[in-house]
Amino acid sequence: MTSQVSSPAEQADGTVAGEPRPPAAERPAAPGGKEIRRLDRVIIRIAGDSGDGMQLTGDRFTSETASFGNDLSTLPNFPAEIRAPAGTLPGVSSFQLHFADHDILTPGDAPNVLVAMNPAALKANLVDVPRGAEIIVNTDEFTKRALAKVGYQASPLEDGSLDGYQVHPVPLGTLTVEALKDFDLSRKDADRSKNMFALGLLSWMYHRPTENTERFLQSKFGKRPEIAAANIAAFRAGWNFGETTEDFAVSYEVAPASSAFPAGTYRNISGNLALSYGLIAASVQTDLPLYLGSYPITPASDILHELSRHKNFGVRTFQAEDEIAGIGAALGAAFGGSLAVTTTSGPGVALKSETIGLAVSLELPLLVVDIQRGGPSTGLPTKTEQADLLQAMYGRNGEAPVPVVAPKTPADCFDAALEAARIAVTYRTPVFLLSDGYLANGSEPWRIPEADELPDLRVQFATGPNHTTEDGTEVFWPYQRDPQTLARPWAVPGTPGLEHRIGGIEKQDGTGNISYDPANHDFMVRTRQAKVDGIEVPDIEVDDESAETRLLVLGWGSTYGPITAAVRRLRAAGEHIAQAHLRHLNPFPANLGEVLARYDKVVIPEMNLGQLATLIRARYLVDAQSYTQVRGLPFKAEQLAAALKEAIDG
């Protein structure tokens, strides 16, 4: 879904983007209608069984919100099991959407509206819902058996425990079945459309467009027109229910965020989709065929699925029998002259580590995309974490340095993929691209770049001899290095006269012949390290609005949104705080040491136990303070703001 925005980014009312504003305006309804309230932002969470279609419902509401022009951020949260036990707490799947008429950075800390499809969904999510918020409850599922399954002794709809909330009891299943009574469907099949009824109700509540959802349903169920028609009917019934029932006396408007974006064409995009598009763009800009050697693993599999759809761009995808075969095929493709990629998560990186070391030794460009998840071992397959940083830095035998790049938002995954490709092909090295589950599955608006905005990444393959021996013979030395980048030549197999040996045993400088000479090994190890250390990366930028600032908050990867939102809150409260965010983690930006030295305190929030903080303390001898969590969920802005305020005052 794309939309055009033509006004520059600004805050029209002078408030800080992402912070509370004056009370929402209200206006009386038109004659015969209902009251409409205008809000600047809304956070909605839809929750139910993993088989209830919560992710599809959230995706459709998000797509319509994007087409309407709001800024948005999403947080899908679902079980690792393909079909978790129905009605249980571990089986709850949820989708949170934060949308606003101004620039926002996170999916929001607490939902204003919770749609609970069953008792398990209510119990699992109620802890995050503030008093006064609206709760839409599917009363059909609040049976004695369903309540007992999650430990409710009495129905929370009747025991007064929800008195502090605006509760809307709605028999979603019953209403859906009634709406579909003219369709040739069993009651069970009709009940499956209750998520579309709920989507229709939410679309009415927040004045979302409906045409695209109806077109989507027609397309999705194109081979089963009766199912498409039933889902559309349920969707319309939900919208009509909101319009006619007395229980919903108010609907809400959230204006488009036209002032939050630079001019351009925008679409809603997830991190994995943006990363896939970035890899395709890198292939075009390098003028190299894209080859993906991969093995399916959550949460990276979407990249394999997406790239397999783009054979028209010369993309080749290979689903291997295991992680080792996937990276082995990718490294072979790199040797053959392709832009080679392998995608995985933390457990897969462990299996790929020997071949990554081989790529370091062969000095061939290879993109290792690690969509991090909770660990160790199988850990939390569908939850997010940032705990693979030290594995990316040091998780290989011997001295095997690898550059590391990390995107900061879902849309930024596109640019990070291009940057990782630039480093790989320029310096002839494998490169780690560290995304995570939060970025991979989350989404936000993305400005589609013009083709002339993309970097020129074309490379020159070796075409002939590059060294003259003492007797005057011209030969090809596969490890003759570029004096600026220390990159070795990239010779495509089959080029006449450029035959050369590759392998994992140490090579002689220049010739590439096998060498066990101690001095040569020392030289080659130091040269490979110097190549990585010498990679040109931009200086880190510091957001610091005051000369009085004594605290710097330093982040990397997906902590960008929560950190920035927390910093905005503190500044709005009159605090002085500086912020900097790392994209390049190996090598660090050249000015990072000077930046760190400016401040009395440095705080590093991470979704691990302090891995970046360990690197910063060791490299720069800075007494950096860690603020960490490993809950499988991103930081909340309020939580970070409180921790940073304590650091300021301490």
Side-chain angles (χ1 to χ4, degrees):
M1 195 64 58
T2 60
S3 59
Q4 291 283 349
V5 177
S6 58
S7 56
E10 60 181 2
Q11 281 299 127
D13 63 3
T15 59
V16 177
E19 291 309 309
R21 294 186 171 196
E26 299 184 13
R27 74 168 188 246
K34 296 184 177 182
E35 179 186 352
I36 299 174
R37 296 181 185 173
R38 290 178 177 168
L39 304 175
D40 70 330
R41 72 165 83 199
V42 173
I43 302 169
I44 295 174
R45 184 181 298 178
I46 309 167
D49 272 335
S50 58
D52 282 343
M54 298 297 93
Q55 303 306 316
L56 174 63
T57 306
D59 283 341
R60 290 315 312 158
F61 195 88
T62 298
S63 293
E64 297 294 6
T65 297
S67 68
F68 187 71
N70 295 119
D71 194 10
L72 61 89
S73 180
T74 68
L75 178 62
N77 191 1
F78 42 87
E81 291 81 2
I82 294 174
R83 185 64 174 96
T88 64
L89 293 175
V92 173
S93 174
S94 68
F95 189 103
Q96 183 161 307
L97 167 66
H98 183 191
F99 62 100
D101 66 1
H102 57 279
D103 172 36
I104 58 174
L105 298 155
T106 74
D109 289 355
N112 308 115
V113 180
L114 171 66
V115 180
M117 303 296 283
N118 59 23
L122 178 65
K123 189 166 189 177
N125 291 280
L126 189 60
V127 66
D128 294 329
V129 182
R131 294 283 176 171
E134 293 188 79
I135 301 177
I136 301 173
V137 180
N138 177 22
T139 56
D140 285 338
E141 294 295 323
F142 278 67
T143 63
K144 288 184 178 180
R145 183 170 181 271
L147 291 166
K149 191 179 290 188
V150 295
Y152 278 126
Q153 301 301 315
S155 173
L157 305 180
E158 300 171 356
D159 64 4
S161 60
L162 300 180
D163 287 349
Y165 305 93
Q166 301 178 55
V167 180
H168 302 282
V170 181
L172 290 173
T174 299
L175 291 171
T176 302
V177 171
E178 175 64 21
L180 303 183
K181 63 182 180 181
D182 294 333
F183 290 81
D184 186 20
L185 297 173
S186 68
R187 182 179 181 88
K188 181 178 180 181
D189 286 340
D191 183 73
R192 289 174 178 167
S193 296
K194 63 181 178 289
N195 63 322
M196 289 297 104
F197 188 100
L199 177 60
L201 175 57
L202 289 172
S203 298
W204 173 83
M205 285 181 66
Y206 293 99
H207 297 253
R208 299 296 91 183
T210 60
E211 296 81 2
N212 289 327
T213 291
E214 294 191 8
R215 280 197 291 268
F216 168 82
L217 292 171
Q218 288 172 343
S219 173
K220 180 176 178 62
F221 300 105
K223 295 182 179 179
R224 302 184 66 186
E226 72 283 0
I227 299 298
N231 276 282
I232 292 171
F235 176 67
R236 291 175 177 174
W239 197 96
N240 291 329
F241 177 77
E243 179 75 5
T244 57
T245 183
E246 294 182 1
D247 192 40
F248 291 88
V250 178
S251 64
Y252 304 92
E253 284 185 350
V254 181
S258 56
S259 63
F261 303 112
T265 300
Y266 287 78
R267 61 156 294 163
N268 181 50
I269 201 165
S270 68
N272 273 351
L273 183 57
L275 203 154
S276 300
Y277 288 174
L279 293 173
I280 295 171
S283 171
V284 172
Q285 296 306 107
T286 56
D287 198 23
L288 300 174
L290 180 63
Y291 183 94
L292 174 67
S294 185
Y295 178 76
I297 183 172
T298 302
S301 298
D302 287 342
I303 302 170
L304 170 62
H305 301 159
E306 182 61 33
L307 289 180
S308 68
R309 300 186 179 106
H310 296 283
K311 296 181 178 65
N312 56 313
F313 284 104
V315 178
R316 293 186 179 183
T317 54
F318 169 53
Q319 180 174 320
E321 66 269 27
D322 56 39
E323 296 280 4
I324 299 172
I327 190 173
L331 185 56
F335 179 61
S338 293
L339 180 62
V341 184
T342 189
T343 53
T344 190
S345 190
V349 173
L351 294 169
K352 295 177 188 289
S353 61
E354 182 180 3
T355 308
I356 297 171
L358 177 59
V360 172
S361 176
L362 299 183
E363 301 189 43
L364 286 171
L366 173 67
L367 301 185
V368 182
V369 178
D370 177 5
I371 313 297
Q372 300 167 96
R373 71 189 206 187
S377 187
T378 308
L380 304 174
T382 61
K383 310 302 180 184
T384 195
E385 207 163 274
Q386 287 183 298
D388 294 351
L389 176 56
L390 294 183
Q391 182 184 32
M393 289 286 291
Y394 303 119
R396 293 162 296 283
N397 63 296
E399 295 288 347
V402 174
V404 180
V405 175
K408 62 183 181 181
T409 68
D412 187 50
C413 289
F414 178 87
D415 295 317
L418 282 166
E419 175 64 359
R422 176 191 73 86
I423 293 172
V425 298
T426 302
Y427 296 90
R428 311 284 197 271
T429 178
V431 177
F432 261 102
L433 179 56
L434 289 184
S435 180
D436 61 41
Y438 170 38
L439 296 183
N441 296 316
S443 62
E444 66 176 351
W446 171 57
R447 188 182 72 83
I448 301 173
E450 300 295 333
D452 59 7
E453 296 175 13
L454 302 179
D456 184 351
L457 302 177
R458 286 173 293 184
V459 298
Q460 295 294 324
F461 290 112
T463 58
N466 60 3
H467 181 76
T468 303
T469 64
E470 293 181 358
D471 63 4
T473 304
E474 291 188 340
V475 297
F476 175 68
W477 274 15
Y479 283 83
Q480 183 87 288
R481 299 183 181 278
D482 181 291
Q484 298 299 319
T485 64
L486 299 181
R488 78 174 186 90
W490 195 358
V492 177
T495 306
L498 303 191
E499 298 85 356
H500 59 284
R501 180 185 294 108
I502 63 170
I505 297 177
E506 185 63 280
K507 298 143 190 71
Q508 185 182 51
D509 178 42
T511 69
N513 295 330
I514 291 174
S515 173
Y516 295 98
D517 178 68
N520 177 78
H521 176 59
D522 184 273
F523 177 81
M524 293 294 280
V525 167
R526 294 181 186 277
T527 300
R528 288 189 288 262
Q529 183 66 56
K531 180 172 67 171
V532 173
D533 292 342
I535 292 173
E536 291 187 7
V537 302
D539 283 349
I540 191 169
E541 297 181 359
V542 182
D543 178 11
D544 187 356
E545 85 297 353
S546 172
E548 302 176 29
T549 305
R550 294 292 176 266
L551 174 68
L552 171 71
V553 54
L554 179 68
W556 71 278
S558 65
T559 58
Y560 173 79
I563 289 174
T564 306
V567 167
R568 288 179 177 180
R569 292 189 183 199
L570 290 170
R571 288 178 177 171
E575 301 291 344
H576 299 299
I577 186 170
Q579 177 188 0
H581 208 79
L582 286 166
R583 163 172 282 178
H584 297 90
L585 296 148
N586 192 32
F588 286 130
N591 69 328
L592 180 57
E594 182 271 326
V595 167
L596 295 171
R598 294 182 205 164
Y599 299 93
D600 296 339
K601 294 182 180 179
V602 177
V603 177
I604 303 178
E606 299 180 77
M607 291 187 293
N608 55 49
L609 295 184
Q611 296 187 15
L612 176 60
T614 297
L615 295 174
I616 292 295
R617 292 169 69 96
R619 173 71 179 274
Y620 299 104
L621 303 181
V622 170
D623 187 19
Q625 302 175 25
S626 283
Y627 183 75
T628 65
Q629 73 170 33
V630 280
R631 301 177 59 243
L633 295 169
F635 285 107
K636 294 183 177 181
E638 182 180 5
Q639 164 196 1
L640 270 181
L644 295 174
K645 178 65 167 65
E646 184 177 341
I648 292 172
D649 295 339

